[in-house]
Amino acid sequence: MAMKYLASTTGAAVVVATSLATAGPVTLTEVTTSAGVRFTHNSGAFGEKYLPETLGSGVLWLDVDADGWQDLLFVNGTSWPGQRGSTHAALYRNNGDATFSDITADSGLTAPLYGLGGTAADFDNDGTVDIYITALGPNRLYRGQGDGRFVDVTAEAGVGDPGFSTSALWVDYDEDGHLDLFVGNYVEWTEETDLYCPFVDDAKAYCTPESYQGQSPTLYRNRGDGTFEDVTSAAGVRVPSAKTLGVAMLDFDTDGWTDLFVANDLQPNLLFRNRGDGTFDEVGVLSGVAFSDTGVARAGMGVDAIDYDRSGRPGLIIGHFSSEMTGLYHNEGDGLFIDEGPRSAIGRASLLSLTFACFFFDIDLDGWPDVFAVNGHVNDLVDRVQNRVTYAQRPQLFLNDGQGGFTEVAPAGTALDSPLVGRGAAYADMDNDGDLDVVVTVNNGPARLLRNDGGNTNHLLRVSLVGTESNRSGIGASVEITAAGEARWQQVKTGSSYLSQSELPVTFGLGDATAVSALRVVWPSGQIDDIGAVAANQAITITEGEGRSDARPIGTGR
């Protein structure tokens, strides 16, 4: 049995047994301060226990100036009317030297709003990334100028959803080459309608979402002229009882059309199957993802989708409330998902955790997607009634054993051993060394930036896409490789996790393989680009219909 290492911020390391060989130690090192990241989230809490204060905010990796380095956007809340301390989103430019610079002041992103989440892609196909920020109240759409500055085009675009919006994603659901926008909404809540929910000694506590009426997700269709139309009802995705916290895109039935998954809080989850004609069928109950195995609607938080076992089909991971276990849904390939959580280390280890962000990523680049989860309770008084559940909780990392199972990394002495009230999280190769780094947001606290050291001792291939007939960001494209005789694939996607978004380039861990024998991109337009063999340890760009248009080597630990 091989050994894997994860180190703490003090340099101490713990040896963790794994069932897969690794080429060397993997270390998560907190570099928040040295990287120059100073973001602290403001929930606005001042004692009134308003429901939105429990949700925290998300974080986005995006390349705002197209220089090849992933930048950071932290969404932020703000103080309630009549309270002091107004705050706004924070944009950090990646300097390319392991540091970031706060460029918020001139970014155009300083409008006061109670921000929650966001999604980023090139919605107008002009070559620059654009940003959509969700909020309590009207959301905002910002058109990128390509230099770290943005212009608010919400009104003219017609996407200022007035609801209590949470997670969102860009997706070309009708495959017309223009990115559409799917927005999750939570509940009907205002300061005026806030309810009093008593706790111990009649003290006010944060109410559960059961106390409020839900809100339907919203689907905006991109007309291709800078404006959008609300097609929620026409497309068949209006569900007024939904209480959405997480959204993910996936092609669960591998028919070439992107489907949408919605994680709801104490309401049945939704799975919208794309019919390919501009409409969706809701098949959550039929597919087995709406309820737990016992028929209960759980508190769905964050969600992600990937083919984690090389079955050729995407599975799902869903964060849940404490006592509910994280859901690990295996795609059986016949339209049905089976929750393997209760039988896996992921489920057992998350029984006492309240998991918000969760995502698949290959931390050690061995070719098998691992799982990262961020935890933290919503009730700051929970330890008064539950002696085994705390408000601040440690994050968790689960290693894929290559046989459909996962092993939790022991937290003692590692960066995973620090409890926090975690909310959003996302991954990116922030230092362009090949392995994937992590950023975490904390409710009413400072963000944490975790650098992956040593993950690139295995080989890798990194792929970015530029669409021509398809949307320019390549969202929805399938990138397929063959390495060491085995086929694997990933979908270029937005959204996922919780209120957050990871980088758009896809990274394939190759383990010991020094090349891929075949690389193919299946674009939303139907175009297929067969690239052939590609050497490992490169970051390549593929332009639709033209093939490989750029390549650069990646320095690895080999």
Side-chain angles (χ1 to χ4, degrees):
M1 186 170 288
M3 297 298 175
K4 178 173 290 189
Y5 299 77
L6 281 166
S8 71
T9 57
T10 61
V14 60
V15 181
V16 182
T18 73
S19 56
L20 283 181
T22 59
V26 179
T27 306
L28 281 178
T29 304
E30 184 174 351
V31 295
T32 315
T33 300
S34 62
V37 173
R38 304 286 187 270
F39 175 77
T40 296
H41 173 251
N42 174 25
S43 72
F46 66 104
E48 287 298 313
K49 298 292 180 75
Y50 288 156
L51 177 64
E53 297 167 1
T54 65
L55 298 191
S57 69
V59 58
L60 285 67
W61 288 104
L62 69 170
D63 187 356
V64 298
D65 48 9
D67 64 352
W69 296 88
Q70 293 293 316
D71 309 303
L72 275 169
L73 174 66
F74 294 96
V75 182
N76 205 356
T78 192
S79 299
W80 298 107
Q83 303 298 313
R84 300 174 60 185
S86 178
T87 49
H88 48 70
L91 181 63
Y92 284 84
R93 173 178 282 137
N94 191 328
N95 298 322
D97 61 358
T99 68
F100 291 78
S101 295
D102 187 339
I103 60 169
T104 311
D106 296 323
S107 68
L109 301 174
T110 59
L113 73 164
Y114 198 97
L116 290 160
T119 182
D122 183 2
F123 86 86
D124 52 3
N125 293 330
D126 67 350
T128 61
V129 67
D130 310 298
I131 298 170
Y132 188 75
I133 294 181
T134 64
L136 176 64
N139 301 334
R140 302 295 179 95
L141 174 60
Y142 295 96
R143 177 180 288 136
Q145 305 301 292
D147 58 358
R149 294 181 297 172
F150 294 83
V151 175
D152 189 335
V153 295
T154 310
E156 60 197 76
V159 291
D161 194 310
F164 186 166
S165 299
T166 52
S167 295
L169 56 81
W170 293 104
V171 56
D172 184 5
Y173 77 93
D174 53 3
E175 297 187 354
D176 65 353
H178 303 289
L179 286 174
D180 312 300
L181 185 60
F182 184 74
V183 183
N185 290 308
Y186 194 43
V187 298
E188 296 286 347
W189 181 93
T190 65
E191 289 180 79
E192 293 72 29
T193 60
D194 182 71
L195 299 175
Y196 185 93
C197 293
F199 194 59
V200 178
D201 298 329
D202 208 34
K204 185 180 182 182
Y206 289 109
C207 294
T208 72
E210 293 172 302
S211 304
Y212 299 94
Q213 172 63 41
Q215 289 186 338
S216 176
T218 305
L219 178 62
Y220 293 102
R221 181 180 177 274
N222 190 335
R223 296 189 178 102
D225 61 359
T227 68
F228 294 74
E229 61 177 323
D230 185 337
V231 295
T232 308
S233 295
V237 298
R238 184 172 297 283
V239 182
S241 60
K243 298 178 181 180
T244 302
L245 288 178
V247 297
M249 52 182 289
L250 73 165
D251 182 3
F252 84 94
D253 51 4
T254 62
D255 66 352
W257 293 91
T258 298
D259 312 302
L260 300 170
F261 181 85
V262 175
N264 283 322
D265 194 357
L266 298 178
Q267 287 291 310
N269 295 326
L270 305 169
L271 179 58
F272 293 109
R273 183 180 67 85
N274 194 330
R275 299 177 60 186
D277 62 359
T279 67
F280 294 82
D281 289 326
E282 204 290 293
V283 296
V285 174
L286 294 176
S287 65
V289 297
F291 302 98
S292 70
D293 286 349
T294 59
V296 175
R298 292 183 281 190
M301 310 293 186
V303 60
D304 196 14
I306 204 170
D307 179 5
Y308 66 83
D309 61 353
R310 299 188 187 174
S311 64
R313 303 178 296 271
L316 288 163
I317 187 163
I318 308 171
H320 291 133
F321 210 81
S322 54
S323 79
E324 292 183 336
M325 293 191 185
T326 293
L328 178 65
Y329 284 87
H330 184 263
N331 189 333
E332 299 293 297
D334 55 2
L336 183 67
F337 288 80
I338 301 295
D339 185 5
E340 300 289 347
R343 292 171 288 279
S344 76
I346 290 179
R348 294 189 297 272
S350 62
L351 180 60
L352 299 179
S353 302
L354 199 169
T355 300
F356 275 88
C358 54
F359 55 74
F360 293 102
F361 77 138
D362 190 354
I363 190 173
D364 51 5
L365 300 176
D366 64 356
W368 296 92
D370 310 302
V371 169
F372 188 80
V374 176
N375 307 310
H377 213 276
V378 296
N379 187 348
D380 55 347
L381 304 176
V382 66
D383 57 356
R384 295 176 59 180
V385 293
Q386 298 187 49
N387 57 16
R388 299 181 63 197
V389 178
T390 59
Y391 183 48
Q393 302 175 1
R394 63 176 181 83
Q396 293 173 294
L397 176 65
F398 299 92
L399 305 178
N400 191 325
D401 65 12
Q403 300 174 16
F406 292 82
T407 302
E408 185 183 13
V409 171
T414 77
L416 302 174
D417 204 21
S418 299
L420 47 84
V421 186
R423 291 297 185 261
Y427 64 82
D429 181 9
M430 69 175 180
D431 45 12
N432 283 345
D433 67 350
D435 52 32
L436 299 174
D437 312 293
V438 176
V439 62
V440 176
T441 66
V442 175
N443 194 27
N444 235 22
R448 297 181 65 192
L449 188 60
L450 306 180
R451 187 183 65 211
N452 183 336
D453 294 328
N456 62 3
T457 52
N458 275 321
H459 295 298
L460 68 125
L461 182 67
R462 186 169 167 83
V463 181
S464 299
L465 300 184
V466 178
T468 53
E469 293 299 317
S470 302
N471 67 87
R472 188 178 177 92
S473 296
I475 306 302
S478 175
V479 184
E480 306 168 0
I481 68 165
T482 301
E486 292 197 62
R488 283 174 273 154
W489 67 282
Q490 291 188 53
Q491 186 180 45
V492 180
K493 61 189 180 184
T494 61
S496 291
S497 188
Y498 170 74
L499 304 179
S500 301
Q501 183 174 300
S502 297
E503 64 177 1
L504 295 185
V506 296
T507 297
F508 289 96
L510 302 179
D512 291 329
T514 58
V516 301
S517 57
L519 171 62
R520 166 181 285 195
V521 179
V522 180
W523 298 85
S525 68
Q527 167 73 26
I528 297 176
D529 287 324
D530 283 304
I531 307 303
V534 179
N537 305 325
Q538 294 188 83
I540 69 171
T541 300
I542 298 172
T543 299
E544 184 177 12
E546 301 175 13
R548 184 162 50 178
S549 56
D550 186 38
R552 65 169 178 80
I554 294 177
T556 73
R558 290 271 183 163

